[in-house]
Amino acid sequence: MTRVQQIGVIIGLVIVVALTMLRADDPGIFKLIRGVTFDEYQRLLPRTFEPMPVRVIDIDEASLREFGQWPWPRDRLALLVNRLSEMGAAAIAFDILFSEPDRLSPRNVVREVTGVDASLAEKLPDNDEIFAQAISGKPVVLGFGLSNEGSYRPPVKAGFAFTGESPVSAPPHLTASTPLRPQLEANAAGLGHISLNPGNPSPVVRTVPLFLTDGVQLYPNLAVEALRVAQGASTYVLAGAPDRAGVMTSAKIGDFVVPLTAAGEFWLYVSPDRAERYISVRRVLAAEGASSEVSAAIGGSIVFIGTSAAGLQDIRVTALGENVPGVSMHAQAVEQILSGRFLSRPDWADGLEILTIAVLGCLLVVVTTFVSPAVALVCGLLITAMALVASWLSFLYAGLLLDPLAPIVSGSITHFAATSFRILVIDRERREVRRAFGHYLSPSLLHRIEHNRDALRLGGDDRELTVMFVDVRNFTEMSERLAPTDVVAFLNTLLDALSRHVVANEGTLDKFIGDSIMAFWNAPVDVADHETKAVRTALAMRETLAELNAGDAFGFGPDQQVDIGIGIHTGVACVGNMGAKTRFNYSAVGDAVNVAARIESSCKEVGFDILISDSTARSVDGMALIDAGAIPLKGKSSRTKILAVLGNEQVAASREFAALNAVHRQLVQALHSHSRNTRKLMDTAKLRADDVVGGLVEFYRRIPSRTDHFRELAAGIEKRAADTEK
């Protein structure tokens, strides 16, 4: 394991530990995400609506239009109870608070009239008494609300039995409740709280506390109390943990066992809101009596009386995203219990999710660190898919609510962090590689290679290249006089200064061979007008060397000048990665490379610093070039025509070059014809040479020893001219 991998693993494990601890703390955002996930499961597969002996007697808009605005006088509610009881309702549960006297009662109305004898009021009927008499002896359950003021707690109409340790402290705490009218409280068969999600800020009702506690006594909610009364049961049997107090696992209500959370909450598994669930109060209190259809629906059913009227503001949101009357949530809870289709989130779910985050996080850290990012991504996607499938199948077949998002989100964060670290490291290494290759390739070439994968073709590739060789003259003699460290310093100074021009002109530095430079153009990517760019590089090297000599950059003194020779040739070569599988160089080999090297070697014999082949010269327009003869090269059956590069386009356009070029052409013809004017023409060329470029005098001084080069050249020119005429 490398140091970078060790650091990556450590950082990844730290993130895994942090995420595991965060999940163990279970902040509100995790609970919200978990709730939304479970909502989506219910939306994908809601509980099927089945005809159940449960109905909502709805104080709807039609009933308010029929009987007037709410609240109604309680003698009308008494009539409603009597009608429902006559129809055979198994239980009648009011999702309505009766905490204040009925202000519409005749007795209370008269008392508020000034000047009326108080004894007269006592003779008038009291609606609360009428309502109390109506519910007496009937299976009526009244609801009470929660309050933050006072200390009133309602009486409990049922007993409690426990298995295991006492779960009394498990449910949400009841501080106080809204007091009911005493006669109503006394005559009701059951009392239950109507709060659906006390203390929960979410507008979505996902769980309902079936019980509340004050630390000593448990208080049932309206739904289970209605279910108990409907069965004629007298006791709730609550199961606690066998070895820990304050934990609730299930509740037995008559013949039904309901799984609960540790806090005594019941997970609602809702069905879509259906009109079949509701019966309008108007239909029950019809003057001609309820229809047989209504009577059949109510007979033997548990009925909940509440309101769907928007103005009465008892609208809740279900897990399906529907806005429904709060009373229907109580009805759905009883429907669910009767259907036996429960949702549960077992106590071990949190532990399993925490363990999953830790284990999968560690696995992702290892995979992301030691295998390719593609494999790590595939593993991450597989883990995500497995978590989603496992969670969904648990919901589908067992009703278990297991959160897939906490492990997925934590795993994604871990994978992102580990991958980001790896990418940063790789990016740093790439920057180092780019910086290293920046010494060999121009920024424009690097950019093209980075953004065009097809531009860089590795392996052997035959292509036309312009190859350059640069060599220091008399380097052996020079190195004998210098200490090794001085030789290295000299080479570094010179080669660095010269090689910059290769990169600047989109060339590729192949290698440094002692005091020599090998470079080429048109690989690894195509370079337009590569012949001209190679010649411009040579001219720039000439100028740079002159500046270095003038400034005594090498410390040799003004009398010791450094000279170089440059040879350039254009031809086909094989370029690509060459060497062993474990170590190779990007280089070029072939005849074109050999010719360029031999042209550079000919600079000594020719007596000029920049020579190019005829194949290169044919693509170089406007430069100041003169014929330098046709030289024999080792391994070649015919001579190779070369040209001397005097300068760029500005030099070529000068009068000095025009004059020299005219004399030079005459000299070449004279050499071919053995003319007596050869000496005179050569002297004239020497005189005009210094006006064009320095060092050209030596070129003309050496021509007498190379006359055969020019005779061959002239013969070749004449032959090509004759071929052209034909």
Side-chain angles (χ1 to χ4, degrees):
M1 184 188 302
T2 65
R3 179 173 177 80
V4 171
Q5 289 175 328
Q6 290 176 348
I7 295 174
V9 170
I10 292 173
I11 293 175
L13 292 179
V14 168
I15 294 173
V16 171
V17 170
L19 291 173
T20 303
M21 294 177 64
L22 182 65
R23 174 59 186 83
D25 186 58
D26 203 20
I29 185 65
F30 277 48
K31 295 177 181 177
L32 175 62
I33 294 174
R34 189 160 57 239
V36 171
T37 302
F38 298 154
D39 291 348
E40 289 300 320
Y41 284 180
Q42 291 205 46
R43 293 178 185 184
L44 290 172
L45 187 68
R47 180 172 61 84
T48 304
F49 177 81
E50 302 173 273
M52 292 282 180
V54 180
R55 292 290 184 274
V56 173
I57 306 303
D58 189 12
I59 304 173
D60 55 5
E61 300 288 352
S63 299
L64 293 178
R65 287 192 298 270
E66 177 91 13
F67 300 112
Q69 68 180 13
W70 186 264
W72 293 339
R74 288 177 186 162
D75 61 342
R76 184 171 296 133
L77 297 181
L79 175 60
L80 179 61
V81 169
N82 289 331
R83 288 278 182 94
L84 294 172
S85 180
E86 292 169 359
M87 295 178 192
I92 305 168
F94 280 89
D95 186 22
I96 301 170
L97 294 177
F98 300 107
S99 57
E100 298 176 351
D102 183 2
R103 289 183 298 174
L104 300 178
S105 177
R107 184 180 299 176
N108 293 332
V109 171
V110 169
R111 283 175 179 168
E112 294 179 1
V113 178
T114 305
V116 176
D117 186 1
S119 62
L120 177 62
E122 294 299 326
K123 297 178 181 178
L124 294 175
D126 179 71
N127 288 346
D128 284 325
E129 291 180 356
I130 295 172
F131 187 37
Q133 291 174 2
I135 68 174
S136 178
K138 298 183 177 67
V140 175
V141 179
L142 301 181
F144 64 88
L146 307 185
S147 175
N148 293 323
E149 299 178 358
S151 58
Y152 174 80
R153 296 179 181 84
V156 178
K157 300 285 186 172
F160 289 88
F162 306 135
T163 62
E165 296 293 327
S166 173
V168 171
S169 61
H173 191 74
L174 172 67
T175 302
S177 67
T178 55
L180 297 173
R181 300 303 299 161
Q183 63 269 45
L184 299 180
E185 183 181 86
N187 290 354
L191 300 174
H193 72 84
I194 61 175
S195 298
L196 291 171
N197 53 348
N200 192 335
S202 174
V204 181
V205 180
R206 300 184 178 98
T207 60
V208 175
L210 294 192
F211 301 94
L212 300 177
T213 182
D214 60 6
V216 177
Q217 179 63 54
L218 294 174
Y219 302 86
N221 87 329
L222 187 69
V224 294
E225 187 73 340
L227 181 60
R228 178 191 68 82
V229 169
Q231 297 179 87
S234 60
T235 304
Y236 294 103
V237 180
L238 305 181
D243 54 356
R244 183 159 58 108
V247 174
M248 195 175 292
T249 59
S250 66
K252 187 173 185 298
I253 307 155
D255 296 330
F256 300 94
V257 178
V258 182
L260 303 176
T261 68
E265 294 176 322
F266 174 67
W267 279 92
L268 283 174
Y269 189 12
V270 295
S271 64
D273 204 30
R274 298 283 292 271
E276 294 91 330
R277 186 175 283 126
Y278 301 88
I279 298 175
S280 174
V281 169
R282 180 177 60 87
R283 298 179 66 189
V284 177
L285 295 181
E288 67 279 9
S291 66
S292 58
E293 178 186 358
V294 171
S295 298
I298 292 175
S301 296
I302 300 173
V303 298
F304 290 87
I305 302 172
T307 179
S308 65
L312 299 184
Q313 298 180 343
D314 186 27
I315 303 299
R316 303 302 180 95
V317 182
T318 71
L320 303 182
E322 297 179 325
N323 294 318
V324 301
V327 64
S328 74
M329 305 295 281
H330 295 292
Q332 288 229 37
V334 176
E335 285 179 7
Q336 185 179 343
I337 294 172
L338 295 179
S339 70
R341 299 189 64 185
F342 299 109
L343 300 180
S344 65
R345 180 167 170 80
D347 294 339
W348 46 263
D350 285 325
L352 175 64
E353 292 162 8
I354 293 170
L355 180 63
T356 301
I357 290 173
V359 173
L360 294 184
C362 292
L363 176 62
L364 283 175
V365 168
V366 172
V367 171
T368 307
T369 302
F370 294 100
V371 301
S372 68
V375 175
L377 178 61
V378 170
C379 289
L381 293 176
L382 285 175
I383 290 172
T384 299
M386 289 172 60
L388 287 172
V389 170
S391 176
W392 171 251
L393 293 179
S394 298
F395 172 82
L396 181 63
Y397 292 107
L400 296 178
L401 298 174
L402 303 178
D403 180 18
L405 287 190
I408 290 174
V409 171
S410 300
S412 299
I413 293 174
T414 303
H415 181 266
F416 174 78
T419 303
S420 298
F421 174 79
R422 181 167 179 171
I423 290 175
L424 288 175
V425 171
I426 292 174
D427 186 59
R428 184 188 66 183
E429 294 174 349
R430 285 178 176 171
R431 287 197 303 270
E432 292 175 353
V433 171
R434 195 181 198 280
R435 191 160 46 246
F437 272 95
H439 296 295
Y440 304 95
L441 300 174
S442 67
S444 61
L445 282 179
L446 279 175
H447 178 79
R448 289 166 62 186
I449 291 171
E450 289 172 346
H451 293 82
N452 184 4
R453 295 182 61 184
D454 294 332
L456 184 58
R457 296 178 59 191
L458 301 180
D461 183 14
D462 289 337
R463 61 191 301 157
E464 184 180 70
L465 301 181
T466 296
V467 185
M468 169 192 283
F469 276 88
V470 183
D471 186 63
V472 179
R473 295 291 169 257
N474 302 317
F475 176 71
T476 302
E477 179 184 340
M478 190 184 306
S479 62
E480 289 175 352
R481 299 196 316 266
L482 300 175
T485 54
D486 294 334
V487 173
V488 172
F490 159 69
L491 288 176
N492 286 342
T493 302
L494 178 64
L495 299 181
D496 178 66
L498 299 184
S499 62
R500 292 177 187 271
H501 297 297
V502 176
V503 174
N505 285 281
E506 299 187 51
T508 300
L509 278 169
D510 185 305
K511 60 176 70 72
F512 296 102
I513 312 169
D515 60 325
S516 301
I517 299 173
M518 176 183 170
F520 53 80
W521 279 257
N522 208 37
V525 293
D526 294 337
V527 176
D529 201 16
H530 53 89
E531 300 91 345
T532 301
K533 289 176 180 175
V535 174
R536 292 190 189 284
T537 301
L539 292 171
M541 288 180 174
R542 174 192 285 168
E543 293 179 5
T544 297
L545 181 60
E547 294 172 359
L548 293 174
N549 282 327
D552 194 21
F554 309 117
F556 297 159
D559 298 333
Q560 180 68 42
Q561 298 290 300
V562 175
D563 296 317
I564 61 174
I566 302 174
I568 300 174
H569 174 63
T570 300
V572 176
C574 181
V575 62
N577 281 334
M578 313 228 175
K581 290 184 178 180
T582 57
R583 185 175 180 84
F584 51 82
N585 292 316
Y586 188 75
S587 184
V589 296
D591 184 64
V593 177
N594 297 333
V595 171
R598 287 164 186 163
I599 291 175
E600 180 275 318
S601 298
S602 300
C603 290
K604 300 176 184 178
E605 181 182 0
V606 173
F608 197 67
D609 61 342
I610 304 176
L611 299 177
I612 65 175
S613 68
D614 182 51
S615 63
T616 301
R618 283 195 293 266
S619 300
V620 176
D621 296 326
M623 294 284 189
L625 308 177
I626 62 173
D627 292 325
I631 60 175
L633 297 180
K634 185 178 180 180
K636 292 288 185 179
S637 60
S638 60
R639 293 175 179 256
T640 300
K641 179 183 176 182
I642 60 173
L643 296 94
V645 181
L646 276 57
N648 57 18
E649 292 88 347
Q650 293 178 343
V651 175
S654 66
R655 288 180 298 176
E656 292 81 2
F657 174 73
L660 174 63
N661 193 31
V663 173
H664 186 79
R665 290 177 182 273
Q666 295 174 16
L667 175 60
V668 172
Q669 290 296 330
L671 289 170
H672 174 62
S673 60
H674 302 279
S675 172
R676 295 178 180 181
N677 291 332
T678 300
R679 174 63 62 182
K680 183 179 178 180
L681 291 170
M682 197 174 302
D683 291 339
T684 303
K686 290 178 183 177
L687 291 174
R688 295 180 178 179
D690 279 336
D691 295 335
V692 179
V693 62
L696 194 55
V697 173
E698 182 65 23
F699 170 79
Y700 285 107
R701 186 178 292 124
R702 296 194 182 189
I703 286 180
S705 62
R706 343 179 8 246
T707 55
D708 58 326
H709 295 176
F710 289 91
R711 288 172 184 156
E712 182 74 20
L713 172 64
I717 293 174
E718 289 179 355
K719 184 177 184 301
R720 284 195 295 274
D723 292 340
T724 303
E725 290 178 0
K726 290 179 181 179

